[in-house]
Amino acid sequence: MTTLLPLSIWSSIGAAFSAMMEPIYWAISGILVGFHWLYSRFLDPNAGVTWVLSIISLTIVIRTLMIPLFVKQINSSRKMQLLGPRLKELQEKYGADRERLGQETMKMYKEEGVNPAASCLPILLQMPIFIGLFRVLLGAATNPPRGYFCTSDPKMPESLAKAKFLGAEIAGTFMPFDTFGATQWVALFLIIAMTSSLFVTQLQLMRKNMPPEALTGQMAQQQKMMLYLFPIMYL
């Protein structure tokens, strides 16, 4: 009984997560199939380029809709970084009194209108959307498909699973591999391009229009850790 209880709990959590994700699957699959229908008006529906354009368009739409969350995350991170010198002063002044330090720190956050959790909240809100995007594309290419618009027409997943672009299978994976072929080369290029662009973007956001004092201290060190940590996580 004690071994079955955790399994039942995990099963309930999985069912709840799947139910929560269904509307996201529905929306993402609808956008993907909609763009595929649009490009199929003048391109071969089963061609790799048609699916690549559909996936790129889907990604652009998702990223555009998430711009407000992205901007909120950036603004919150920059405000926290600008408060770094003041936080350092408080630590030097009240370092021996942890309770007073916490009170003065929260007072400073309140006066400046800064919420330390605000920089993390947009990331947490984005995660279900990115998971939905990944699982819809994975399911459409490798089965079982997810999302109403992918499951309602069996020809859609079948077409995507067989599509190729630049000799690489769109449904193919980087690992495991027996031979390093076109799929691995294209995937490797995309992985390097993604992590490099993410690193450069984060670096520019961290340093642009920031006073020198905001680039030192504990808060700046945390930002630098995130600068290297996030590309590694995405890699």
Side-chain angles (χ1 to χ4, degrees):
M1 186 66 180
T2 55
T3 57
L4 291 176
L5 184 59
L7 292 176
S8 63
I9 292 175
W10 280 113
S11 178
S12 299
I13 293 174
F17 179 77
S18 297
M20 181 190 73
M21 293 298 294
E22 279 303 322
I24 297 177
Y25 294 155
W26 183 91
I28 292 175
S29 64
I31 297 172
L32 175 65
V33 172
F35 275 117
H36 182 264
W37 176 87
L38 177 64
Y39 291 124
S40 295
R41 300 305 93 189
F42 51 89
L43 294 172
D44 180 2
N46 297 315
V49 65
T50 307
W51 281 110
V52 166
L53 289 173
S54 301
I55 294 171
I56 291 174
S57 301
L58 165 65
T59 308
I60 291 173
V61 169
I62 297 296
R63 294 298 295 180
T64 302
L65 293 175
M66 294 171 66
I67 284 177
L69 289 175
F70 183 61
V71 172
K72 187 176 181 66
Q73 177 187 342
I74 292 173
N75 290 338
S76 179
S77 297
R78 289 174 71 84
K79 286 180 180 179
M80 288 293 294
Q81 197 171 343
L82 287 169
L83 291 178
R86 290 183 59 185
L87 182 61
K88 185 178 180 181
E89 292 176 4
L90 291 176
Q91 290 171 341
E92 293 174 352
K93 187 175 181 180
Y94 303 107
D97 188 346
R98 305 302 297 178
E99 184 177 352
R100 182 67 185 278
L101 175 61
Q103 293 174 351
E104 292 297 327
T105 301
M106 295 308 297
K107 181 180 177 181
M108 179 186 68
Y109 288 154
K110 187 175 181 180
E111 290 174 351
E112 298 295 332
V114 174
N115 183 355
S119 59
C120 298
L121 184 59
I123 298 177
L124 295 177
L125 292 175
Q126 293 176 42
M127 287 308 295
I129 300 175
F130 281 128
I131 292 173
L133 178 62
F134 169 74
R135 298 193 75 181
V136 166
L137 292 175
L138 178 67
T142 61
N143 281 320
R146 293 181 176 88
Y148 170 78
F149 294 95
C150 288
T151 58
S152 60
D153 186 358
K155 293 182 180 179
M156 284 291 181
E158 183 180 347
S159 174
L160 178 56
K162 295 180 179 180
K164 290 186 177 183
F165 182 72
L166 298 178
E169 297 178 356
I170 296 180
T173 57
F174 182 71
M175 294 179 65
F177 51 84
D178 298 324
T179 58
F180 207 90
T183 300
Q184 283 71 37
W185 280 114
V186 173
L188 180 62
F189 170 78
L190 292 174
I191 291 169
I192 294 174
M194 179 192 68
T195 51
S196 301
S197 62
L198 178 63
F199 177 82
V200 172
T201 300
Q202 291 290 108
L203 183 64
Q204 292 297 319
L205 290 174
M206 188 178 75
R207 294 184 175 180
K208 191 174 183 181
N209 300 324
M210 297 294 287
E213 58 270 18
L215 299 178
T216 59
Q218 183 180 358
M219 194 62 64
Q221 292 301 319
Q222 292 177 0
Q223 294 288 333
K224 289 179 181 177
M225 287 179 61
M226 293 174 63
L227 174 68
Y228 293 98
L229 184 61
F230 274 110
I232 292 174
M233 289 172 60
Y234 275 94
L235 178 63

